[in-house]
Amino acid sequence: MDGIYLAHKNENGEEQTLKEHLEGTARLCGRFASSFGVYDWGYCCGMLHDIGKYSLAFQERLNGSEKKVDHATAGAQLCWAKKGIYPITAYCIMGHHSGLPDTGGDGDTGDRATFTGRLRKKLEDYHAYEKEIQIPPLSPPPFQPGKTENQGFFSAMFIRMLYSCLVDADFLDTECFMNGGNIKRDSGDPIDLLYERLEAYISGWLEHKEWNTINGRRTEILRNCLEMGQRERGLFRLTVPTGGGKTVASLAFALRHAKENDMDRVIYVIPYTSIIEQNAEVFRNILGERNVLEDHCNVDYEATEELKLMQLATENWDKPVIVTTNVQFFESLFSNKSSKCRKLHSMTNSVIIFDEAQMLPNDYLKPCLAAMEQLIRHYRSTVVLCTATQPSLQGILSEDMTGVELCPRMEDQFSFFKRVSLKNLDKLSEEELIHRLEKENQALCILNTKKRTQKIYQEMKGEGVYHLSTAMYPLHRKRVLKEIRERLNASEKCIVIATSLVEAGVDLDFKTVYRQLAGADSIIQAAGRCNREGKNSAEESITYIFRLNEKEYVPGQRQQMEITASLLEDGERLDELETIQQYFEMLYHFRGEGLDKKNIMKEFNKGRFSFAKVGKEFRLIEDHTKTILITKEKRAEEIRTELNLRGITKRLIREMGQYCINVYENDFDKMQAAGMLLPLCDGMEKEYFVLRNPEDYTEDMGLMLDAEYGQAVLF
């Protein structure tokens, strides 16, 4: 075929030549890859990713042919045949549409979707590329794995990062052409300007000189974080007690550090969406709306046209401050899909702060820490582990990854900010627990299961007594929390029976807290809801730890509970830093191989990679629950109607989440057998259900979890 080879046509009939697309993608991909020092690798991937479009069959497809053409395998086969260091790029090119493939077996034939299989696949003739394109030269990467590093994991991470650069560059170049040459994106303000705004915000704080006041101590921590921000990239810890001003101090370190080290962005990784929303609001107030991007399941940037730029930024994290979840961060890192991997290159040359670091996922701790080490060693990033209950990671992290502490006089700070006394009650009956709570005026009781929470609440319900659990949909919980805060502020009676959802990210202040035996870190978090504002002495502000006589199964918490019980029996004080360290050391020792329960690390060996398999299996939250829409409110019923009439949209699904609860399969099966549920609508990737009778959801307790087999609903 002679003439012009095309990459795309837009709806206006305009044409983009293939050479233009390859060169544009190569330049962008090279620029992204330069953030970790490999411009030439990015440029090469971009230049070769679509050379399969030089086939006659693909050009005919652009002109209306319905014949399917594999254009992604051509560049991969070319790079593999060139040997040397080029085969690494073959994975990126092969997967730029369908996802990074598993290596597969030596016997795989051309009909297999594995990397090995597709290398043997017979393709349309694409060699016309030779008239327009030259294979770019490659030099060895500027970094190599250390002696103690897993070489397979190192190589897989390098492939992922290159892949991310290619996918994002390909999308952006195509998007620019389709929009007539306009890139409708907003990357936010530069780090230097954000740091100036932070300096203006904290200028008054830095005037505090009285070190033995709360504000003085917060200023001391803040000052130290600012000074430490001048350090070189690496691993840091910020171990700050409740009330120490952790949020602003960590932002101060991050922005100063990014400014001093010419870094691109700050990424906050947080376990709970409630904390995300609070922190993001603080950051927006300091830095401006357009500079802070929330990326999690509860945020909706599609609602208005002016927020469309924010929605686009969620695709590749093209903002200076990102606030996201553990789930979003780590599942993207271990995904093989282009849509999730697209943002990975934005994790390079960044300050990454893991807030509530004790919540790093135990089941995947080893691969998560291995990825964090890679980001520090080879991708110019800094990691900060931020919490009041710092996990003890020695023996899991490499020996040279010790972490620099950012909190000055750490032990003294914890003594100063001590606001609570812990007291172990050992075993109680439900009746004894209820009797104690009935004597309280303002108390929080945290139990381990939703069923137990509902049961205790039912025994106590009355004026000033509240129930809080995930048996209530998010908007309902927010209303109840507002009422609870109003009663607490008015010094009225307020007894709250809740699950662990109130332990972090919920700003409540009770005179007394009762916490059923759990992990030591959970107990310390619960104690943070007691005397939070420091209005009373630590001696009169007590968090009681108790066990109930009746045993109950708490999924995934057995070892945490047993270790905490052992420490209490030995007379250890859970609010001591040494005890917290001992707790995590014991937990990680007993978990052993369970810290990588899916054997993720073993799936990446030299020359053999299980990208697709790991992408499927790496799930921080195992999907053992079913989602139920509660239609008690008018808007929830409207969403149900829209889904059935107009079909599924991301916006509707996201908004629907504010009216949904998740139940474990055992409870779901009982409700299903009792005829309490209806399927929501067809065509949804995930199965959703609707509560048939809204009366089964109460205003005080949410969804009643007492359905039993044999129970029936009469029509």
Side-chain angles (χ1 to χ4, degrees), residues 640 672 675-681 688-692 715:
R640 177 188 182 183
Q672 184 83 310
M676 297 171 65
L677 305 173
L678 293 169
L680 181 52
C681 68
Y688 291 88
F689 296 84
V690 181
L691 189 65
R692 183 190 294 273
F715 302 90

Side-chain angles (χ1 to χ4, degrees), residues 207-254:
E207 295 174 3
H208 293 295
K209 303 296 183 184
E210 297 292 330
W211 298 127
N212 280 325
T213 65
I214 288 177
N215 285 334
R217 293 289 182 136
R218 287 171 176 165
T219 298
E220 182 184 13
I221 294 168
L222 175 62
R223 280 184 182 278
N224 201 65
C225 285
L226 282 170
E227 291 172 9
M228 297 291 279
Q230 300 176 79
R231 294 246 187 155
E232 294 182 356
R233 298 173 175 87
L235 177 65
F236 295 84
R237 297 177 304 169
L238 179 55
T239 312
V240 175
T242 300
K246 178 181 64 172
T247 301
V248 175
S250 62
L251 180 66
F253 168 81

Side-chain angles (χ1 to χ4, degrees), residues 285-321:
N285 289 338
I286 300 171
L287 306 175
E289 292 274 348
R290 63 188 286 260
N291 295 305
V292 180
L293 176 73
E294 290 183 67
D295 189 13
H296 56 89
C297 61
N298 287 350
V299 69
D300 179 14
Y301 288 126
E302 296 179 358
T304 65
E305 188 60 35
E306 68 181 67
L307 292 176
K308 185 65 175 175
L309 292 176
M310 281 293 194
Q311 177 60 31
L312 290 172
T314 63
E315 299 170 351
N316 62 354
W317 283 3
D318 186 20
K319 287 289 182 181
V321 178

